[in-house]
Amino acid sequence: MAKMKSDTVKKGLPRAPHRSLFKALGFIDEEFDKPLIGIVHSESEIVPGHIHLGNIAKAAADGVRMAGGVPARFPVIGVCDGIAMGHEGMCYSLPTRELIADSIECMVRAHQFDALVFIPNCDKVTPGMLMAAARLNLPAIFVSGGPMLAGRRDGKPLTLTTMFEAVGAAAAGRMSEAELRELEDIACPGCGSCSGMFTANSMNCVTEALGLALPGNGTCPAVMAERVRLAKKTGVRVVDLLKADTRPLAILTERAFMNALALDMALGCSTNTALHLPAIAHEAGFNLDFKLLNKVSAATPNLCHLSPAGPSAVEDLHAAGGIPAVLSELAKKDLLDLDAPTVYGKLGDAVRGAVNRNTEVIRPIENPFMETGGLAALWGNLAPDGCVVKQSAVAPSMLRHEGPARVFDGEDAAFDAIMGGRIASGDVVVIRYEGPRGGPGMKEMLGPTSALAGMGLDDKVALLTDGRFSGASRGAAIGHISPEAAGGGPIAFLREGDTVSIDIPARSLDVLVSGEELAKRKAEWTVPPPKAVSGYMARYARLAGAASGGAVLSDPA
């Protein structure tokens, strides 16, 4: 093996003080001749998806030692979006993505690791770690903590979506508080990222298609011994990557992102992938925009209806053959670049021998749920720079819709109106000033969408926002509207009762007022005062870019 980066802190007379500090950690002299492998994980006692990550990190460390490396574990923060939902905490979720990437950069550069194992699980941790992997460009590999098992009642799966929608059902008198409490006890049965094709599981599955994780990373349940074995294999593999000097930027090419988008469309992933993939691509040195998303969506059938779009849980996807089985279906119509490099060889190596064991969970490509992908980008006079919808989770009756705008300057006011029964069939709920800068932090709107679904209005009411949606949301939920209201985007000029036209098949979103009227309203509009005036969120609001570009932070002037 060539000279190691960690030799900078281990070798030579001037590094005797450094070695003494390593020895304070329990290092012995023989370890100074071996590669130093950082194991980055987000274990905590406040996030169900992370509470077990110490065990996964230990298994990865065992694999590193088996292969001749010296592991060193260190943590990063991670927010539970479910616990943060519906209050000021949600403002802090997306901004942690940048903190995670930045803190990893600081730790790795300060301590001169040779290679890295990344162990994420929940929503912003995986993209933040992927951004760091691209930025640092050291040999690296991912193994997630795995999805939570679905809860079960009467043989039917329950997920976090069940709980949020039950709140709306209870408010509408469709469910008793006793039934709500019963669900509360069983919907989330243990550790892991929330069951369903929500953001965390979407990103962990997409990491397989990007080529930075071994097969099984996105779907093997958190509680299975298979997950521990996968972590050990990952630890072994990272040492091989170091020996071969295989680095993330050799894998995170444009072809990898095209493969990732194709998988995204086939699975029906969270709309948040349209926020995170551009940010990761930005770190890798190129642009990924909404137009490319639509190009891939137009060519890629939607093969899976996982919760919240359908009844299947991620554990069902794993039992059906996992991501390799989905990729094998896409490969039948040449929708993948099977020669794209991965941490284990080529993407085709994962496809070879894959079997679709349940054609109800993974539809054959000849019989898809939809001929086009799970996500779509829309444009129009309400979204000149675009917006995103999870079309696979939209009721057919809402793919085209016109209705009066019910305009709210923030999530709380909209949620109160929904829970108070003030939203009627046909309405278009508009939640603005919740974008990256205006929020600040671009809140997820799972509360409002779930309340509508629980009240039986998800196939009758649309919801538009310059914020974003949880992967657990379903219905005609259109987010990431760009430019955002706080930046003077047209959504800021909407008025109560304006007719909004949604045409998802035509990829359009418009308000039916004249250009002259919109220009007049713009001239009368004033920039609202910032919601955050101090601390991290004030800095974030000044630096956050548009959702259409991944909400990446700009360099301060």
Side-chain angles (χ1 to χ4, degrees):
M1 188 180 295
K3 176 177 166 59
M4 295 179 288
K5 191 174 182 65
S6 62
D7 287 349
T8 305
V9 293
K10 295 186 305 189
K11 294 297 182 70
L13 187 65
R15 297 308 183 227
H18 303 65
R19 289 192 295 274
S20 71
L21 291 169
F22 277 107
K23 288 180 178 181
L25 296 168
F27 277 59
I28 60 176
D29 287 335
E30 288 80 359
E31 289 178 299
F32 294 133
D33 294 323
K34 297 179 179 181
L36 183 62
I37 311 297
I39 298 181
V40 193
H41 65 93
S42 50
E43 181 186 23
S44 76
E45 294 183 348
I46 193 61
V47 184
H50 299 178
I51 193 167
H52 64 303
L53 293 189
N55 292 333
I56 305 301
K58 180 183 181 300
D62 289 343
V64 168
R65 287 200 182 277
M66 288 167 60
V70 179
R73 289 173 275 176
F74 66 91
V76 294
I77 63 169
V79 164
C80 176
D81 279 25
I83 294 174
M85 196 73 64
H87 55 88
E88 70 167 342
M90 183 44 64
C91 293
Y92 286 82
S93 176
L94 179 60
T96 64
R97 187 186 69 182
E98 270 57 39
L99 287 175
I100 290 162
D102 290 350
S103 65
I104 293 170
E105 176 190 352
C106 292
M107 287 293 289
V108 171
R109 295 294 189 212
H111 299 100
Q112 296 289 288
F113 289 101
D114 296 302
L116 298 165
V117 175
F118 290 94
I119 304 177
N121 221 24
C122 290
D123 296 30
K124 309 311 165 298
V125 186
T126 304
M129 287 185 173
L130 284 164
M131 291 165 67
R135 185 185 304 175
L136 292 163
N137 200 31
L138 293 172
I141 189 170
F142 282 65
V143 57
S144 77
M148 183 186 294
L149 293 176
R152 299 280 169 176
R153 187 178 70 168
D154 300 328
K156 296 179 180 179
L158 307 174
T159 70
L160 185 64
T161 301
T162 308
M163 289 309 308
F164 275 96
E165 293 184 1
V167 171
R174 303 173 70 196
M175 177 183 291
S176 70
E177 289 193 23
E179 290 174 302
L180 183 66
R181 179 59 62 89
E182 180 189 351
L183 290 177
E184 179 183 319
D185 290 340
I186 60 177
C188 298
C191 67
S193 48
C194 294
S195 183
M197 194 47 64
F198 311 150
T199 305
N201 293 325
S202 293
M203 289 306 305
N204 289 329
C205 289
V206 162
T207 303
E208 287 192 45
L210 284 172
L212 283 181
L214 298 177
N217 177 70
T219 60
C220 176
V223 296
M224 292 180 69
E226 182 184 349
R227 173 63 57 181
V228 176
R229 297 197 299 269
L230 183 65
K232 286 183 181 178
K233 291 177 182 178
T234 298
V236 170
R237 188 62 192 154
V238 75
V239 178
D240 294 336
L241 295 172
L242 177 61
K243 291 176 180 177
D245 196 29
T246 301
R247 298 171 182 256
L249 292 185
I251 294 172
L252 292 176
T253 62
E254 291 190 44
R255 57 208 291 215
F257 282 90
M258 293 295 284
N259 285 337
L261 281 173
L263 176 68
D264 188 333
M265 299 304 160
L267 289 177
C269 288
S270 164
T271 52
N272 282 314
T273 59
L275 191 68
H276 299 318
L277 285 173
I280 300 160
H282 175 79
E283 292 286 353
F286 56 89
N287 293 325
L288 190 159
D289 59 23
F290 286 167
K291 291 181 180 178
L292 182 59
L293 183 152
N294 268 1
K295 178 181 178 182
V296 176
S297 182
T300 310
N302 176 230
L303 305 180
C304 301
H305 266 191
L306 299 152
S307 176
S312 300
V314 181
E315 66 204 70
D316 300 320
L317 176 61
H318 187 67
I323 300 308
V326 180
L327 296 175
S328 71
E329 294 293 343
L330 295 176
K332 292 176 182 178
K333 291 197 174 181
D334 297 323
L335 295 172
L336 299 169
D337 185 338
L338 297 178
D339 290 325
T342 69
V343 290
Y344 51 83
K346 296 180 179 180
L347 190 69
D349 296 334
V351 173
R352 195 175 302 113
V355 176
N356 183 354
R357 297 185 178 89
N358 188 332
T359 56
E360 290 302 311
V361 175
I362 305 171
R363 286 279 186 92
I365 199 161
E366 300 84 7
N367 181 34
F369 284 104
M370 296 172 56
E371 293 293 340
T372 55
L375 300 186
L378 317 179
W379 287 266
N381 66 2
L382 262 183
D385 294 340
C387 56
V388 180
V389 62
K390 187 171 183 175
Q391 62 177 347
S392 59
V394 179
S397 61
M398 292 298 293
L399 291 171
R400 292 183 174 89
H401 179 74
E402 284 190 7
R406 303 297 310 280
V407 183
F408 301 93
D409 291 345
E411 178 192 15
D412 293 346
F415 185 72
D416 289 345
I418 294 168
M419 295 294 283
R422 301 194 299 276
I423 301 301
S425 177
D427 285 349
V428 178
V429 176
V430 178
I431 303 176
R432 62 190 179 188
Y433 295 106
E434 293 287 10
R437 294 193 176 192
M442 203 178 181
K443 284 182 182 177
E444 288 185 342
M445 304 294 164
L446 180 57
T449 59
S450 296
L452 289 170
M455 292 176 171
L457 292 172
D458 56 299
D459 60 349
K460 302 175 183 69
V461 171
L463 196 153
L464 316 180
T465 183
D466 54 4
R468 59 196 179 93
F469 295 106
S470 166
S473 290
R474 62 186 174 99
I478 299 171
H480 304 202
I481 290 176
S482 300
E484 63 177 287
I491 190 174
F493 316 136
L494 268 180
R495 292 181 179 172
E496 187 82 6
D498 285 344
T499 299
V500 173
S501 174
I502 300 165
D503 192 332
I504 294 173
R507 305 296 189 251
S508 67
L509 176 67
D510 294 285
V511 55
L512 302 185
V513 300
S514 68
E516 292 79 6
E517 175 62 18
L518 283 177
K520 177 184 175 184
R521 295 180 187 181
K522 182 176 183 178
E524 296 169 351
W525 177 78
T526 56
V527 179
K531 295 178 184 177
V533 296
S534 64
Y536 176 57
M537 293 308 297
R539 296 196 302 275
Y540 183 87
R542 289 195 296 271
L543 300 177
S548 57
V552 298
L553 300 189
S554 61
D555 293 326

